[in-house]
Coordinates of all heavy atoms in Angstrom, one line a residue:
L216 N -44.7 -17.9 0.1 CA -44.2 -18.6 1.2 C -44.6 -18.0 2.5 O -45.1 -18.8 3.5 CB -42.6 -18.6 1.2 CG -41.9 -19.5 2.1 CD1 -42.3 -20.9 2.1 CD2 -40.4 -19.5 2.1
I217 N -44.7 -16.6 2.7 CA -45.0 -16.1 4.0 C -46.5 -16.4 4.3 O -46.8 -16.8 5.5 CB -44.6 -14.5 3.9 CG1 -43.1 -14.4 3.9 CG2 -45.2 -13.9 5.2 CD1 -42.8 -12.9 3.8
P218 N -47.5 -16.0 3.5 CA -48.9 -16.4 3.7 C -49.0 -17.8 4.1 O -49.8 -18.2 5.0 CB -49.6 -16.0 2.6 CG -48.8 -15.1 1.8 CD -47.3 -15.4 2.2
V219 N -48.4 -18.8 3.4 CA -48.6 -20.2 3.6 C -48.0 -20.6 5.1 O -48.7 -21.3 5.8 CB -47.9 -21.1 2.6 CG1 -47.8 -22.5 3.0 CG2 -48.6 -20.8 1.3
A220 N -46.9 -20.0 5.4 CA -46.3 -20.3 6.8 C -47.1 -19.7 7.8 O -47.4 -20.4 8.8 CB -44.8 -19.7 6.8
L221 N -47.7 -18.4 7.7 CA -48.3 -17.8 8.7 C -49.7 -18.6 8.9 O -50.3 -18.7 10.0 CB -48.6 -16.4 8.4 CG -47.2 -15.5 8.5 CD1 -47.5 -14.1 8.1 CD2 -46.6 -15.6 9.8
A222 N -50.3 -18.9 7.8 CA -51.5 -19.7 7.9 C -51.5 -21.0 8.6 O -52.3 -21.4 9.5 CB -52.1 -20.1 6.4
S223 N -50.3 -21.7 8.4 CA -50.1 -22.9 9.2 C -49.9 -22.8 10.6 O -50.4 -23.5 11.5 CB -48.8 -23.7 8.6 OG -47.8 -22.9 8.7
F224 N -49.2 -21.6 11.0 CA -49.1 -21.2 12.3 C -50.4 -20.8 13.0 O -50.7 -21.3 14.1 CB -48.2 -19.9 12.5 CG -46.8 -20.2 12.0 CD1 -46.0 -19.2 11.5 CD2 -46.3 -21.5 11.9 CE1 -44.7 -19.4 11.1 CE2 -44.9 -21.7 11.4 CZ -44.2 -20.7 11.0
A225 N -51.3 -20.2 12.3 CA -52.6 -19.8 12.8 C -53.4 -21.1 13.0 O -54.2 -21.3 14.0 CB -53.4 -18.9 11.8
L226 N -53.4 -22.1 12.1 CA -54.2 -23.3 12.3 C -53.6 -24.1 13.5 O -54.5 -24.6 14.2 CB -54.0 -24.2 11.0 CG -54.7 -23.7 9.8 CD1 -54.4 -24.6 8.7 CD2 -56.3 -23.6 10.1
Y227 N -52.3 -24.1 13.8 CA -51.8 -24.7 14.9 C -52.3 -24.1 16.2 O -52.7 -24.8 17.2 CB -50.3 -24.8 14.9 CG -49.6 -25.8 15.9 CD1 -49.5 -27.2 15.6 CD2 -49.4 -25.3 17.1 CE1 -49.0 -27.9 16.4 CE2 -48.9 -26.1 18.0 CZ -48.7 -27.5 17.8 OH -48.1 -28.4 18.7
D228 N -52.3 -22.9 16.2 CA -52.7 -22.0 17.4 C -54.2 -22.3 17.6 O -54.7 -22.5 18.8 CB -52.6 -20.5 17.2 CG -51.2 -20.0 17.2 OD1 -50.4 -20.8 17.8 OD2 -50.8 -18.9 16.8
L229 N -55.0 -22.5 16.6 CA -56.5 -22.7 16.9 C -56.7 -24.2 17.4 O -57.5 -24.4 18.3 CB -57.2 -22.8 15.3 CG -57.5 -21.3 14.9 CD1 -58.1 -21.4 13.5 CD2 -58.4 -20.5 15.8
Q230 N -55.8 -25.1 17.0 CA -55.9 -26.4 17.5 C -55.4 -26.4 19.0 O -55.8 -27.2 19.8 CB -55.1 -27.4 16.8 CG -55.6 -27.7 15.3 CD -54.7 -28.6 14.6 OE1 -53.6 -29.0 14.9 NE2 -55.0 -28.8 13.3
A231 N -54.5 -25.6 19.3 CA -54.0 -25.4 20.7 C -54.9 -24.7 21.6 O -54.6 -24.6 22.8 CB -52.5 -24.8 20.7
G232 N -55.9 -24.1 21.0 CA -56.9 -23.3 21.9 C -56.6 -21.9 22.1 O -57.2 -21.3 23.0
V233 N -55.7 -21.3 21.2 CA -55.5 -19.8 21.3 C -56.7 -19.2 20.8 O -57.2 -19.5 19.7 CB -54.2 -19.6 20.5 CG1 -53.9 -18.0 20.6 CG2 -53.0 -20.3 21.1
P234 N -57.2 -18.0 21.4 CA -58.4 -17.4 20.9 C -58.2 -16.7 19.6 O -57.0 -16.3 19.3 CB -58.7 -16.3 22.1 CG -57.9 -16.9 23.2 CD -56.7 -17.6 22.7
L235 N -59.2 -16.5 18.9 CA -59.1 -15.9 17.6 C -58.7 -14.4 17.7 O -58.0 -13.9 16.8 CB -60.4 -15.9 16.8 CG -60.9 -17.4 16.2 CD1 -62.4 -17.3 15.7 CD2 -59.9 -17.7 15.2
R236 N -59.2 -13.8 18.8 CA -58.6 -12.4 19.0 C -57.3 -12.4 19.0 O -56.5 -11.4 18.6 CB -59.3 -11.8 20.2 CG -58.9 -10.5 20.6 CD -59.6 -9.9 21.8 NE -59.2 -8.7 22.2 CZ -58.1 -8.4 22.9 NH1 -57.4 -9.5 23.3 NH2 -57.7 -7.3 23.2
S237 N -56.5 -13.3 19.8 CA -55.1 -13.2 19.9 C -54.4 -13.5 18.6 O -53.5 -12.8 18.2 CB -54.7 -14.3 21.1 OG -55.1 -13.9 22.4
I238 N -55.1 -14.6 17.9 CA -54.3 -14.9 16.6 C -54.5 -13.7 15.6 O -53.6 -13.5 14.8 CB -55.0 -16.1 16.0 CG1 -54.9 -17.3 17.0 CG2 -54.5 -16.4 14.6 CD1 -55.7 -18.6 16.5
A239 N -55.5 -12.9 15.7 CA -55.8 -11.8 14.8 C -54.7 -10.7 15.1 O -54.2 -10.0 14.2 CB -57.1 -11.1 15.1
W240 N -54.1 -10.7 16.2 CA -53.0 -9.8 16.6 C -51.6 -10.4 16.2 O -50.7 -9.7 15.8 CB -53.1 -9.3 18.0 CG -54.1 -8.4 18.4 CD1 -55.2 -8.7 19.1 CD2 -54.2 -7.0 18.1 NE1 -56.0 -7.6 19.3 CE2 -55.3 -6.5 18.7 CE3 -53.3 -6.1 17.4 CZ2 -55.7 -5.2 18.5 CZ3 -53.7 -4.8 17.2 CH2 -54.9 -4.3 17.8
F241 N -51.5 -11.7 16.4 CA -50.3 -12.4 16.2 C -49.9 -12.4 14.7 O -48.8 -12.2 14.4 CB -50.2 -13.8 16.7 CG -50.4 -13.8 18.3 CD1 -50.9 -15.1 18.7 CD2 -50.1 -12.8 19.0 CE1 -51.1 -15.1 20.1 CE2 -50.3 -12.8 20.4 CZ -50.8 -14.0 21.0

Side-chain angles (χ1 to χ4, degrees):
L216 188 60
I217 293 176
V219 171
L221 294 178
S223 64
F224 299 153
L226 289 176
Y227 193 89
D228 284 344
L229 286 174
Q230 293 178 359
V233 179
L235 286 174
R236 177 180 175 277
S237 297
I238 296 176
W240 286 107
F241 295 159

